[in-house]
Amino acid sequence: MLDPRPWAPEQAAGLAAWAVQPPLRIVAVARPQPQAQDDPGAALLVQHLRAGCAALGLQCADVVGAPSVWDDVPAGDVWLWCAPTDLLLRWWPLDEGHPLVPLLAQPSAIVAAYRAVKQLHAAQLQPVVVAVAARVGEEAPLHAACQALQRTCERHLGWVPGVWVLGYHDGSAPLQGLPGNLDVVTRALEAAWTLDMRRSPQGEAKRPC
């Protein structure tokens, strides 16, 4: 597992002094509902990822669209790429990490997450589901949603994705106070598409659909 300590703020300054930069990590969050620009599950997951990266001393930047148009993205250690599933299918490299599929404790969200997992898995990708608590005390229904999604995947796909769970966090307190959440953020960084800082994502070949 990625050790969070090398990314601590007090060590980041030392790395910068030596002009050593960590590899760029692109964390993909699938937007299971392609017509919903403000998908609540994806928005909550991105919020957690931003807070977790900040707690680890990492700078985040958002990227939109296909990698071929990532021309003016601000510098950062982590790029958060929230994109429709069909866009991830065309660009996410087979041998690099795992796209993240958000899940809320809602029937419609379970259906949307299953659809996204099915599409990504059919394209030989290995998505990971990240269940996000949208309110206090949602542990039981969120656990039930995870089980329902896993049962459906096992029954219809013959494959069960990994599931990580993020507890409720309203952003009013540092994420360091929720070690379980910070652990999930660390896993998300491990699941990222890692690029050498000297390379450009525009140079990555688009995968055949």
Side-chain angles (χ1 to χ4, degrees):
M1 175 176 290
L2 180 71
D3 186 349
R5 289 172 297 179
W7 306 108
E10 59 269 21
Q11 296 195 22
L15 289 174
W18 286 96
V20 176
Q21 294 190 9
L24 172 66
R25 288 180 170 83
I26 301 174
V27 178
V29 175
R31 200 167 65 227
Q33 303 178 42
Q35 304 305 319
Q37 294 298 318
D38 298 320
D39 184 295
L44 272 177
L45 178 50
V46 168
Q47 176 183 327
H48 277 279
L49 292 172
R50 286 199 190 101
C53 287
L56 294 173
L58 299 173
Q59 292 184 333
C60 287
D62 294 329
V63 292
V64 297
S68 58
V69 299
W70 293 350
D71 295 323
D72 300 316
V73 180
D77 305 304
V78 180
W79 285 359
L80 299 179
W81 184 25
C82 187
T85 306
D86 60 348
L87 189 60
L88 298 181
L89 289 175
R90 292 197 297 271
W91 288 94
W92 191 263
L94 288 174
D95 57 349
E96 285 280 357
H98 310 278
L100 307 181
V101 177
L103 173 66
L104 298 178
Q106 301 170 1
S108 60
I110 298 173
V111 173
Y114 170 72
R115 185 180 301 115
V117 168
K118 179 180 178 181
Q119 292 174 326
L120 293 167
H121 181 63
Q124 302 179 52
L125 299 176
Q126 301 292 316
V128 172
V129 174
V130 183
V132 188
R135 56 186 59 85
V136 177
E138 202 174 45
E139 292 80 6
L142 192 62
H143 180 67
C146 293
Q147 289 187 320
L149 177 62
Q150 289 181 308
R151 285 196 303 268
T152 303
C153 289
E154 183 174 22
R155 182 180 306 117
H156 297 288
L157 304 181
W159 176 78
V160 179
V163 176
W164 306 334
V165 180
L166 285 166
Y168 176 75
H169 179 249
D170 62 4
S172 62
L175 199 64
Q176 292 98 321
L178 294 168
N181 283 13
L182 197 55
D183 179 64
V184 171
V185 172
T186 302
R187 293 189 204 180
L189 293 175
E190 291 179 330
W193 170 9
T194 304
L195 292 178
D196 187 292
M197 294 296 286
R198 293 166 297 184
R199 293 168 56 194
S200 166
Q202 292 93 326
E204 297 294 323
K206 182 174 73 171
R207 296 197 304 108
C209 296

